[in-house]
Amino acid sequence: MLIKNPKFEISAVSKKQYPTCNLPEIVLVGKSNVGKSSFINTMLGRKSLARTSSTPRENTPN
Ligand SMILES: Nc1nc2c(ncn2[C@@H]2O[C@H](COP(=O)(O)OP(=O)(O)OP(=O)(O)O)[C@@H](O)[C@H]2O)c(=O)[nH]1
Ligand SMILES: [Mg+2]
């Protein structure tokens, strides 16, 4: 997969804010602080397009 020009569009909190373009969508689900934003940055080859928190999640079950 080649991603040429990634950009942050919006952090939508209601349906009326959803982007209207017809690009494919990817859903990324996970508990808070588990590394979703870090994963996005890694996949895009960018350091901080998605903001990450400073403290890693403790390595606990569940
Ligand atoms: N040890 C370790 N730490 C990681 C890994 N991935 C992310 N982190 C750290 O875990 C913390 C949380 O990562 P985020 O990417 O902000 O997690 P998130 O799931 O986006 O968090 P929310 O947006 O709060 O839901 C950051 O300090 C990352 O540096 C990993 O694979 N290993
Ligand atoms: Mg995040």
Side-chain angles (χ1 to χ4, degrees):
M1 180 168 62
L2 180 62
I3 301 172
K4 287 183 177 168
N5 186 25
K7 63 173 185 171
F8 177 80
E9 185 73 26
I10 189 172
S11 181
V13 295
S14 67
K15 196 172 179 180
K16 63 182 179 216
Q17 294 179 303
Y18 292 172
T20 52
C21 58
N22 289 319
L23 294 170
E25 297 179 12
I26 297 171
V27 177
L28 179 58
V29 182
K31 291 171 77 171
S32 179
N33 209 24
V34 79
K36 301 179 297 295
S37 298
S38 304
F39 176 79
I40 290 168
N41 287 332
T42 298
M43 292 301 290
L44 298 180
R46 296 276 294 266
K47 277 191 177 163
S48 55
L49 187 71
R51 284 191 193 155
T52 58
S53 47
S54 54
T55 310
R57 182 180 165 75
E58 285 181 40
N59 190 17
T60 53
N62 306 316

